[in-house]
Amino acid sequence: MNERRLRLALARERLVERSRRLRRETADQSAVLDPLFNTVDAVRDGAAWVRAHPQVLAAAVVGFALVRPRRVWRWGMRLWGAWRVLGAVQQRLQR
């Protein structure tokens, strides 16, 4: 019985060491993705800030509309058209 326990303990130690090694390798290999994750975090934080301060975005749009009204109108029409196309696609997908 003691010999069996010894074999199990050795097998367990080998598995624990293998697990440690695999965790280190995974951490090393995933370090390549850190810049991507940092960028996504920054975009998410920026979106949260805009949601918390919508008046700043509204002021920027109004200011831009005063400076470049034709461009704002053109982009507004494009966005409205895209919104309608998106709605039509969603209705077709729901059917």
Side-chain angles (χ1 to χ4, degrees), residues 3-62:
E3 185 178 327
R4 182 173 183 260
R5 282 187 176 183
L6 182 61
R7 276 189 284 123
L8 288 175
L10 286 173
R12 181 183 183 279
E13 285 301 317
R14 279 189 227 112
L15 289 172
V16 167
E17 183 55 38
R18 182 173 182 245
S19 179
R20 283 188 193 126
R21 183 176 41 83
L22 289 174
R23 266 190 245 114
R24 280 193 304 267
E25 287 176 12
T26 301
D28 291 343
Q29 291 172 359
S30 66
V32 175
L33 299 174
D34 279 346
L36 174 66
F37 291 145
N38 291 337
T39 302
V40 170
D41 286 343
V43 168
R44 188 185 58 204
D45 292 345
W49 186 87
V50 168
R51 271 189 240 108
H53 303 91
Q55 64 275 14
V56 175
L57 182 62
V61 170
V62 167

Side-chain angles (χ1 to χ4, degrees), residues 61 64-65 68-84:
V61 170
F64 194 67
R68 302 267 189 189
R70 194 176 294 172
R71 185 174 290 175
V72 171
W73 179 258
R74 185 172 53 233
W75 275 101
M77 294 302 288
R78 288 177 183 167
L79 289 173
W80 183 65
W83 183 264
R84 289 188 58 191

